[in-house]
Amino acid sequence: MLQIDQFTYGWLTPGLGYLMSVIGSLIALRCMVRARANPHRRGWIITAAIALGGTGVWVMHFIAMLGFSVRGATIRYNVPITLISAVLAVVVVWIGLSLVVRLRGATSALLSGGAVTGLGVAGMHYAGMYAMKSDVSMHYDPWVVLGSIVIAVVAATAALWFALHIHGVPAAVGSAMIMGMAVCGMHYTGMYAMHANMSDHMVMPSGAQANQLLTPLIISVSMVTILLFLQVGTTEVSEPDLTRIQGQQASRYWPSSESRIEDRYRERAYDDYTRSAPDPHHHRR
C-alpha cells in the first residue's frame, strides 16, 4: 500500500480551504437574510447557492486537493468532470434552499432538502475524486465512505436550518464557522477512505496537472467570492419583525404584492370618484 499525504504543504491547504468554506457559508447566510426580506427572492437564493456550493464546498474541496499526493504516483485531472462537479455542488445547494424557502421551513422540507443537498455534496466530492486520474490503483473503504455521506447529510440539514433562522452578522459568522468545520470534516473523512496500491496494468494518466487546472479555477472563483463578501457579507439587513405587531394586521406593515395592487386600485377608484363628484361650492349663490 502506497503512502498518501493529505498535507503536502503542511497546514496551508487545509487552513486556506477552511477559510474559503467559512467565507462562502457566510455569504450564503447573508444572502438568505435578504431572500427572506425580499419578495423577489430568486436571485438571492441563486447567489447563496453559488456562494455555498461553489465556494463553501467546491473550492474548499479542490484547495485541499492541491495538498493531496501519493508517493511515487502521477496525478492528473479530467477537466470536464471537474467542471461538472462544480455545477453539481451549486445545483444541489440551490434545490435544498429552494425547498426550505418555498415550504417555509417545514420539518419535511428541511429533512428532504438536507438529504438531497447532502447526497449531492457527497456526490460532488466523489465526482471530483473520480476526475482525479493516476497510474496507481485506488480504492475506498465503504464504511468510511458511508460515514462521510452521513456527515454531508447532517451538515447540509444544519446549513439549511441556519439559512432560515440566522439573523445578524455575529450569529452568521459563528454559524459559518460551524458549517466550514462540517464541510472540511466531510472532505477529509472521505479522503481517509482512499487507499492506493501499485498495479501492473495501469498506464500513464492523461489530463491536466493540479496547478494547471485547479489554481486558475480557484483564483477565479475566489475573486468573485471576495467581491460578494464585500457587498453582502458584513452588512446588516433590516427584517420586519411581525411578532411584535399587536392589534394590527401584519399585511399593513409588510404588504404582499397582491395587497399593494389592491391598494393601488382603491386609490385609483377614490381619485376617479372625487373627480366625478359635483363641487359643493359650485351651487352657492
Side-chain angles (χ1 to χ4, degrees):
M1 184 177 297
L2 298 176
Q3 181 180 352
I4 295 177
D5 190 357
Q6 305 285 351
F7 310 102
T8 303
Y9 303 104
W11 287 98
L12 175 62
T13 49
L16 185 57
Y18 173 72
L19 176 62
M20 294 305 297
S21 185
V22 170
I23 292 176
S25 301
L26 176 60
I27 294 173
L29 292 175
R30 302 306 294 160
C31 287
M32 290 306 297
V33 171
R34 287 163 171 79
R36 298 197 301 262
N38 193 328
H40 306 289
R41 58 175 64 97
R42 181 178 301 175
W44 286 116
I45 294 176
I46 293 174
T47 305
I50 294 173
L52 182 55
T55 302
V57 176
W58 187 86
V59 168
M60 179 273 141
H61 171 85
F62 281 103
I63 286 179
M65 292 307 298
L66 288 174
F68 174 83
S69 64
V70 180
R71 179 170 295 181
T74 301
I75 296 177
R76 297 289 185 270
Y77 287 88
N78 182 292
V79 176
I81 297 178
T82 301
L83 297 178
I84 290 173
S85 69
V87 175
L88 177 62
V90 173
V91 169
V92 295
V93 171
W94 174 78
I95 291 174
L97 292 174
S98 299
L99 278 175
V100 295
V101 170
R102 180 173 298 180
L103 299 180
R104 302 181 183 276
T107 302
S108 59
L110 189 62
L111 294 178
S112 59
V116 171
T117 305
L119 292 174
V121 168
M124 176 246 105
H125 171 86
Y126 290 106
M129 296 308 300
Y130 181 74
M132 185 180 66
K133 306 301 181 182
S134 180
D135 55 354
V136 298
S137 175
M138 296 183 181
H139 60 279
Y140 295 86
D141 184 330
W143 290 108
V144 180
V145 170
L146 180 61
S148 70
I149 295 174
V150 171
I151 293 174
V153 172
V154 173
T157 304
L160 295 180
W161 189 91
F162 287 146
L164 289 177
H165 296 90
I166 291 301
H167 301 269
V169 173
V173 171
S175 301
M177 294 175 68
I178 296 173
M179 292 165 66
M181 286 189 290
V183 172
C184 293
M186 182 270 159
H187 170 83
Y188 283 106
T189 300
M191 296 304 298
Y192 181 74
M194 172 182 284
H195 303 284
N197 295 290
M198 295 296 297
S199 176
D200 297 332
H201 304 287
M202 303 299 292
V203 297
M204 184 63 64
S206 62
Q209 296 181 7
N211 58 354
Q212 293 175 335
L213 172 64
L214 301 182
T215 303
L217 287 175
I218 291 171
I219 291 176
S220 300
V221 177
S222 299
M223 292 299 293
V224 175
T225 301
I226 291 173
L227 293 176
L228 286 174
F229 178 74
L230 295 175
Q231 180 66 26
V232 303
T234 58
T235 56
E236 287 283 5
V237 179
S238 58
E239 293 185 277
D241 188 358
L242 302 183
T243 61
R244 295 186 178 182
I245 300 176
Q246 299 179 355
Q248 301 289 341
Q249 292 183 354
S251 59
R252 295 180 57 188
Y253 292 86
W254 192 15
S256 63
S257 58
E258 291 80 6
S259 64
R260 287 195 293 267
I261 294 173
E262 292 175 0
D263 291 341
R264 294 194 192 100
Y265 276 118
R266 293 193 189 97
E267 292 173 0
R268 186 178 302 173
Y270 179 78
D271 292 339
D272 293 338
Y273 171 78
T274 55
R275 283 195 293 267
S276 61
D279 186 1
H281 300 285
H282 179 71
H283 299 285
R284 291 182 180 177
R285 294 181 178 179

